[in-house]
Amino acid sequence: MENVKKIEGQLSATGLRFALIASRFNSFIVDQLVNGAVDTIVRHGGRKSEISIIHVPGSFEIPLAAKKAAASGKFDAIVALGAVIRGATTHYDYVCGQAASGIGQVALETGLPVTFGVITTDTIDQAIERAGTKAGNKGADAALAAIEMANLSRILEKGEI
Ligand code: INI
């Protein structure tokens, strides 16, 4: 649209530092999300040496680790990676709810971009589809969102608007 000021983050990871918070639960899926996230960061100009992978037991524990990583001041963005697959119990709903709201809360409380690469599905097949097969790779998507938000945050914090 003409005469409208467009403000958006670039998709360049050059010079940016990332923390990937990865759950060990359902690691056969989460490992693929981690691979997708690292690949996306590197393909957008980031360096592997500027990526830290922080492991937590399950998706429920991601928010606390993300909060502490944000407080360290060592990262420009955080990518939360996990896989919550519905079982026969209601555990799924509690883990999903806590992971989603906790991750969002960390971003708002700390002001650091924290993106959501936690797959929530009914079946293992659906999770596999979202971890680098038919439905793309949600880890790669979350890493791309983190790159964009880190650059957008810099623009907004500098007041270049
Ligand atoms: N954690 C997950 O990351 N995915 C799951 O599917 C899952 N299920 O189904 O139970 C899960 N549970 C563990 C949870 O995240 C905590 O680690 C655990 O409750 C200890 O606090």
Side-chain angles (χ1 to χ4, degrees), residues 29-126:
I29 297 288
V30 181
D31 287 350
Q32 298 312 312
L33 302 179
V34 170
N35 289 342
V38 170
D39 182 59
T40 294
I41 291 167
V42 170
R43 282 195 293 119
H44 287 79
R47 294 161 63 116
K48 277 193 179 167
S49 58
E50 298 295 337
I51 302 172
S52 300
I53 303 174
I54 300 168
H55 294 282
V56 293
S59 297
F60 187 87
E61 283 76 31
I62 291 175
L64 180 60
K67 187 170 183 177
K68 290 185 183 293
S72 74
K74 295 198 166 157
F75 304 106
D76 298 297
I78 294 173
V79 184
L81 301 170
V84 195
I85 302 170
R86 189 184 289 277
T89 70
T90 56
H91 202 67
Y92 168 93
D93 298 301
Y94 293 111
V95 175
C96 282
Q98 179 59 25
S101 68
I103 288 164
Q105 210 178 315
V106 171
L108 293 177
E109 279 175 8
T110 64
L112 202 73
V114 185
T115 60
F116 191 68
V118 179
I119 290 175
T120 57
T121 62
D122 287 333
T123 66
I124 291 174
D125 280 353
Q126 288 169 346

